Amino acid sequence: MPSPGSAPLIFSLGGSDQHTIQPPTYPDLPMTGSRVALLFQQLGISSVLTLFSAVLAEQKILFFSSSFSRLTDSCMALTSLIYPMLYTHTLIPVLPYSMLEVLSSPTPYIIGVHSKHQEQTDELVDVITVDLDRCKLTIPENMIIHQIMEPLRTNVAHELCLVLHPDLHLADNAFQSDLTSKSSVLLDKELRAVMLRLMTQLLEGYRSCITLVRVHPQTIVIFHKATFLGLRNISKECDFIHGFLDCMFFNDFIDQRGSPWRKCDIFDELYADIGGQIALELLEPHETLIHIENLAKELYENENSCLPSEQNCSIMTPLPTKASKKVSQSIFPTLDTSLVTRLIEDNQRLNMSEADQTQLISSQFKLVPMGSTSLNPTLVSNSDPSLDVLRKCISNIFEHNIFDALRNLSSVILALEFQTARLALCEELARHVTGSQNMLEQDQFTLIVMLMNTALQNNVDVDMYRVAAAVLPLATTFGRKLCPGVIQYVYTQVQDHAVWQDMQFWETAFFIEVQEKIKELYLEKQDECPLPQEPSALEIAANVIKEMANLSEATVKERVLCEEQTVYAQAIHFTTMMVSLLIPEGAGEAIADHSSRKSISSVGDTDSIDSNNNAKCRLDSAEHNSDGTNVIKFVSRFVDKVCAESSVNEHHLKSLKQMVPGLVAMHLETMEAVSREAKQLPPV
């Protein structure tokens, strides 16, 4: 069989007959015929969009019809609307009567049932029902379907109306023009084009939120939901997009399409162009229909692959002659092996060479486009006067002009209500970092602590991780000397914020830092071929994956080892930072001793903890002043989770888990000395 996208295969079974096999260019695209068009014509735009939202919300959907083919067509049409995602829950286009108990399943499904069995399903209270014969959609009273956010839903409904009812926008014209009627198949592709554009807009910016964790021995990427919501400026009140990012289809989508080097299809091409298309359509509304028709043409050509005119296949089966009917047929002769071999070789010379075939297959793999970058916010705007005041205040602090810094402090506090100012604060503080330890005077320490606490207090959900991740290395760098051998770092004064007890924050920060280290690792290997601009981590990974087939086994093993050591080193670093942020300053020497005695038993308890238990994803702030056991459990869960997702070997995982109790005990002793010396100074 020819591979997808390759040349057609023409063969003969004997005589003068000829057969041709032409595979689609993109075999993963759904083949719908006219099913989607029929679904819209039966139910209407509003009902189909509601069903679309219900599918992405992983609800149970039940179709009724007296036609088995209509049931099948409707179920398959609905699942095709969520492409490039795949429907992975239960899908039964026609459910037999003997299996109606399946409808009581607690898991999501899309199922079709004959109308004569509709009465047997009246007791279902959590199922959306669609009566295709009566064109009726019924949603249970206790169910809420979160619709697509505005203005996207209104725009999509308008585009669907342009395609489904093209005469509507011409109805008020004084002089009516005859519209060429479209075939149901072409109408189907135009409706699918609108829905594919919708999915692309919902996913816009997703590749900017993918973090590279490993390249060898296999590519591992992580998607960060908080970063996506921040880039899209989506509030926590938007229930639809939150449910969309949490559904199983989206997780499978990231697993299948997150790799930076893979086969690309129509969705990837549209993803790269959708930003420019939408911008053009805002200026020239008539371009919307042109873009839809062009995309529909691609979908149609993929589904209806046609050959050049000279390659049109014709099947000709010769009829037996009169003589053959009268004369008995002789035994089929033995084939000449050398003749068969020569004929095969001659035919191969006429067709594509093996090298060309390999080149064709490899050419299908390429760097996945990153898409529009317009969603990425600018960290610092030089034209904002409030940021100038912030920079001046930070400069005065580090230049020991405390009086001038205090004069601008109130303005800086007000500016920190905005995300740009919070990120600019972290950027300005990072400019003054000169090493692993940066010692401050008492007044400098107090003002830096005040500004960091303000930035963390003003955080909202969409940018909490970004600001906290930027504060984290600064809080473990800036400090003040309390006495010889005792240093108090800023992190002891910013521990009261909930973000430090959020497991998801630590995972996000960890993977972002790992990506930077992996990027540095492979940039060093490319120093001999400098690029005009520094590539992204995904671009570097794509080049590495592309060259993997040409690498020796020893080189691959060396790279696996380097990546393993990189991830392991970051796990140690983050484990240390977590202990620092989670152990309070007021912990005493007695607590440290108690933690040391219990360290062995706490590790045993940690092994039995379910890392996927959402109820334990936060460390209760009321448990801070304990003997350190809860901190050990929390940090150990973090170690289990990140090591599993980044494929750290068992030896390193065991070493990390054994190290945690000792770090907690050591830090408790350090905090006892810091607390004792800090009491002799004025409170911050």
Side-chain angles (χ1 to χ4, degrees):
M1 296 295 290
S3 59
S6 62
L9 176 65
I10 304 175
F11 63 96
S12 173
L13 297 178
S16 58
D17 67 313
Q18 191 177 61
H19 302 275
T20 303
I21 298 178
Q22 173 66 59
T25 306
Y26 307 111
D28 293 334
L29 259 68
M31 305 290 181
T32 57
S34 59
R35 291 169 172 173
V36 172
L38 179 61
L39 182 66
F40 274 94
Q41 290 168 344
Q42 284 179 307
L43 301 179
I45 294 173
S46 179
S47 295
V48 174
L49 287 180
T50 299
L51 285 176
F52 172 82
S53 300
V55 172
L56 293 181
E58 298 181 295
Q59 299 290 349
K60 303 176 186 178
I61 301 175
L62 181 59
F63 285 95
F64 294 109
S65 178
S66 56
S67 167
F68 292 115
S69 62
R70 289 290 176 89
L71 289 175
T72 301
D73 291 345
S74 299
C75 290
M76 302 309 295
L78 184 57
T79 57
S80 70
L81 298 183
I82 67 172
Y83 178 82
M85 297 183 181
L86 300 177
Y87 189 81
T88 53
H89 293 301
T90 302
L91 174 62
I92 308 177
V94 179
L95 183 70
Y97 174 75
S98 60
M99 298 179 63
L100 287 182
E101 65 270 11
V102 173
L103 299 177
S104 301
S105 170
T107 58
Y109 56 69
I110 297 178
I111 293 179
V113 173
H114 197 277
S115 296
K116 64 183 179 181
H117 306 311
Q118 189 167 354
E119 294 182 357
Q120 282 82 357
T121 64
D122 291 341
E123 296 181 358
L124 300 174
V125 296
D126 59 343
V127 179
I128 299 172
T129 59
V130 183
D131 192 331
L132 296 173
D133 299 340
R134 296 178 176 84
C135 305
K136 182 180 179 182
L137 172 68
T138 304
I139 301 175
E141 296 181 357
N142 61 344
M143 182 182 296
I144 299 177
I145 303 297
H146 299 293
Q147 300 293 340
I148 306 166
M149 61 275 197
E150 295 292 349
L152 188 56
R153 190 180 193 279
T154 299
N155 295 339
V156 170
H158 173 68
E159 293 175 7
L160 290 171
C161 189
L162 285 178
V163 173
L164 199 58
H165 308 293
D167 57 329
L168 186 60
H169 68 287
L170 301 175
D172 293 335
N173 291 355
F175 300 96
Q176 299 290 327
S177 58
D178 295 333
L179 295 175
T180 304
S181 60
K182 302 176 184 177
S183 66
S184 59
V185 175
L186 184 57
L187 176 63
D188 178 278
K189 302 304 171 283
E190 291 186 357
L191 292 170
R192 281 183 57 193
V194 175
M195 299 305 293
L196 181 55
R197 281 164 51 92
L198 168 61
M199 288 295 297
T200 307
Q201 292 177 76
L202 288 175
L203 293 166
E204 189 176 8
Y206 87 95
R207 296 207 67 82
S208 301
C209 306
I210 290 179
T211 301
L212 177 72
V213 179
R214 294 288 293 267
V215 181
H216 296 92
Q218 61 181 1
T219 306
I220 300 177
V221 296
I222 302 293
F223 178 81
H224 296 303
K225 175 181 175 182
T227 305
F228 181 81
L229 296 175
L231 290 178
R232 297 289 297 269
N233 196 24
I234 298 174
S235 66
K236 61 182 180 181
E237 286 78 18
C238 183
D239 296 316
F240 172 81
I241 200 68
H242 283 270
F244 173 68
L245 297 180
D246 290 335
C247 71
M248 182 185 297
F249 317 134
F250 183 81
N251 295 329
D252 293 340
F253 169 82
I254 295 297
D255 291 340
Q256 296 170 5
R257 292 180 174 263
S259 175
W261 182 261
R262 58 171 172 79
K263 292 182 180 180
C264 294
D265 57 13
I266 291 178
F267 165 75
D268 297 299
E269 296 172 359
L270 179 61
Y271 178 81
D273 299 335
I274 192 65
Q277 290 187 13
I278 298 300
L280 179 60
E281 292 166 9
L282 292 176
L283 300 176
E284 303 289 342
H286 68 276
E287 292 288 336
T288 301
L289 197 55
I290 296 176
H291 290 152
I292 293 172
E293 291 174 348
N294 291 338
L295 181 57
K297 182 180 178 181
E298 293 185 61
L299 295 172
Y300 179 85
E301 291 176 351
N302 181 74
E303 190 168 321
N304 300 272
S305 301
C306 57
L307 303 175
S309 57
E310 64 270 12
Q311 290 187 0
N312 287 336
C313 61
S314 57
I315 302 176
M316 301 175 60
T317 305
L319 296 175
T321 61
K322 294 182 179 179
S324 64
K325 296 179 181 179
K326 297 179 180 179
V327 181
S328 60
Q329 298 294 326
S330 60
I331 300 175
F332 192 83
T334 304
L335 296 178
D336 186 346
T337 306
S338 59
L339 178 61
V340 171
T341 303
R342 183 171 58 82
L343 291 174
I344 292 176
E345 292 176 352
D346 292 342
N347 186 61
Q348 286 179 340
R349 293 191 191 98
L350 298 176
N351 293 298
M352 186 180 298
S353 65
E354 183 178 354
D356 294 333
Q357 287 281 3
T358 304
Q359 184 178 4
L360 173 64
I361 295 174
S362 62
S363 66
Q364 296 174 356
F365 287 80
K366 60 182 179 179
L367 174 66
V368 182
M370 292 295 294
S372 174
T373 58
S374 60
L375 296 175
N376 297 330
T378 302
L379 295 184
V380 179
S381 176
N382 293 323
S383 61
D384 193 341
S386 63
L387 298 188
D388 292 334
V389 175
L390 185 148
R391 296 188 188 97
K392 185 177 180 180
C393 179
I394 297 298
S395 298
N396 286 330
I397 292 175
F398 284 96
E399 293 172 2
H400 299 279
N401 297 327
I402 303 301
F403 179 75
D404 293 336
L406 290 173
R407 284 194 306 176
N408 297 325
L409 188 60
S410 59
S411 300
V412 173
I413 296 297
L414 291 175
L416 290 177
E417 295 180 1
F418 301 96
Q419 178 193 28
T420 305
R422 293 193 287 273
L423 295 172
L425 169 66
C426 300
E427 185 177 287
E428 288 301 310
L429 291 175
R431 294 180 190 274
H432 293 85
V433 174
T434 57
S436 59
Q437 293 182 350
N438 292 262
M439 295 299 103
L440 306 173
E441 300 295 335
Q442 171 67 22
D443 293 336
Q444 293 175 312
F445 186 85
T446 301
L447 290 177
I448 295 299
V449 167
M450 181 185 299
L451 292 175
M452 285 190 181
N453 276 318
T454 303
L456 292 170
Q457 287 172 353
N458 288 334
N459 267 330
V460 293
D461 289 345
V462 294
D463 72 325
M464 176 177 63
Y465 292 167
R466 298 181 63 201
V467 176
V471 167
L472 185 58
L474 301 173
T476 55
T477 300
F478 291 112
R480 62 175 178 176
K481 280 191 176 182
L482 300 179
C483 67
V486 179
I487 299 175
Q488 182 181 25
Y489 288 97
V490 170
Y491 64 74
T492 61
Q493 302 298 315
V494 296
Q495 294 176 322
D496 295 334
H497 302 282
V499 66
W500 310 125
Q501 289 86 49
D502 190 340
M503 182 68 75
Q504 188 177 357
F505 159 73
W506 289 106
E507 293 173 11
T508 301
F510 170 80
F511 288 125
I512 290 176
E513 190 65 23
V514 167
Q515 174 179 258
E516 291 302 313
K517 297 302 179 183
I518 296 293
K519 178 180 176 181
E520 294 175 6
L521 178 66
Y522 287 106
L523 275 178
E524 294 176 357
K525 301 179 182 297
Q526 298 178 359
D527 285 343
E528 62 274 9
C529 299
L531 300 175
Q533 61 181 4
E534 184 175 305
S536 67
L538 293 180
E539 290 173 337
I540 293 174
N543 291 329
V544 174
I545 298 171
K546 180 181 179 181
E547 300 170 355
M548 192 179 301
N550 301 324
L551 298 178
S552 64
E553 185 177 351
T555 303
V556 173
K557 288 183 178 179
E558 179 186 355
R559 293 188 173 186
V560 171
L561 180 61
C562 290
E563 290 186 21
E564 174 77 19
Q565 293 293 342
T566 299
V567 177
Y568 179 59
Q570 288 305 306
I572 294 175
H573 177 55
F574 268 78
T575 299
T576 304
M577 287 196 296
M578 290 181 71
V579 171
S580 300
L581 268 298
L582 297 173
I583 297 294
E585 178 189 348
E589 186 174 1
I591 297 178
D593 293 338
H594 189 53
S595 177
S596 299
R597 291 194 300 269
K598 280 197 167 185
S599 61
I600 299 178
S601 62
S602 65
V603 175
D605 294 338
T606 304
D607 294 335
S608 63
I609 296 173
D610 183 4
S611 60
N612 296 323
N613 190 349
N614 293 331
K616 296 183 179 181
C617 284
R618 285 182 178 271
L619 178 66
D620 191 350
S621 59
E623 297 175 342
H624 275 198
N625 295 319
S626 66
D627 59 359
T629 300
N630 294 298
V631 174
I632 294 173
K633 292 180 179 180
F634 186 79
V635 176
S636 296
R637 284 200 298 272
F638 165 81
V639 169
D640 283 332
K641 185 75 179 295
V642 299
C643 288
E645 294 188 4
S646 53
S647 297
V648 173
N649 62 46
E650 289 295 329
H651 173 69
H652 284 157
L653 174 60
K654 184 178 179 181
S655 298
L656 284 168
K657 296 180 71 173
Q658 290 176 346
M659 183 181 63
V660 173
L663 284 176
V664 171
M666 188 187 315
H667 196 73
L668 283 167
E669 294 178 1
T670 302
M671 286 299 99
E672 189 276 332
V674 170
S675 178
R676 182 180 64 250
E677 296 297 333
K679 291 179 181 178
Q680 302 177 18
L681 297 175
V684 176

